[in-house]
Amino acid sequence: MKTFKDLVFKTHKASKKGIQATLEIKPKLFLSVVAGPGWYSSPGGIGADESKFRDNPDSNDFSTFEVGIIDESLPDDQQEWDVKGWMSRGDINNLILENHE
């Protein structure tokens, strides 16, 4: 079974001060995890001072993350990101478990 440890974080495309990772939990069900200034993470959040963040951070720099989940098996007009903020590693593991086959 997949867990938080299966996420491979990279520098976020929108900001070198943030990170991002995606994980396919089961076919066509994707989890997106981000953290940094402007995202619902700790540290982070809307209005966070980017100068207080280092470039190319590591996931260990964050205690909570913004998480989105989408089911791409649904018709296009029903696909919608379900986004949750300030989720801990344990919360993310539980979300993966709840949505695993």
Side-chain angles (χ1 to χ4, degrees):
M1 166 118 88
K2 296 176 182 176
T3 68
F4 181 89
K5 292 181 181 183
D6 291 299
L7 291 164
V8 177
F9 285 94
K10 299 178 181 178
T11 302
H12 199 286
K13 292 177 184 175
S15 170
K16 62 184 177 184
K17 307 286 185 178
I19 58 172
Q20 65 183 38
T22 59
L23 182 66
E24 190 169 8
I25 299 173
K26 60 184 181 183
K28 299 196 177 211
L29 185 68
F30 292 91
L31 186 75
S32 171
V33 181
V34 297
W39 292 289
Y40 302 124
S41 64
S42 296
I46 304 302
D49 182 356
E50 283 197 22
S51 70
K52 297 189 188 270
F53 291 79
R54 68 183 177 102
D55 288 353
N56 308 309
D58 181 87
S59 64
N60 291 319
D61 294 340
F62 301 94
S63 58
T64 65
F65 304 82
E66 179 179 311
V67 178
I69 192 166
I70 191 166
D71 186 346
E72 292 185 352
S73 68
L74 297 172
D76 287 346
D77 64 338
Q78 293 179 17
Q79 291 182 25
E80 186 175 324
W81 283 100
D82 180 15
V83 178
K84 299 176 182 344
W86 295 284
M87 294 192 72
S88 69
R89 286 163 175 78
D91 294 334
I92 294 169
N93 285 336
N94 288 336
L95 184 63
I96 292 169
L97 179 63
E98 291 168 11
N99 287 282
H100 191 265
E101 289 184 301

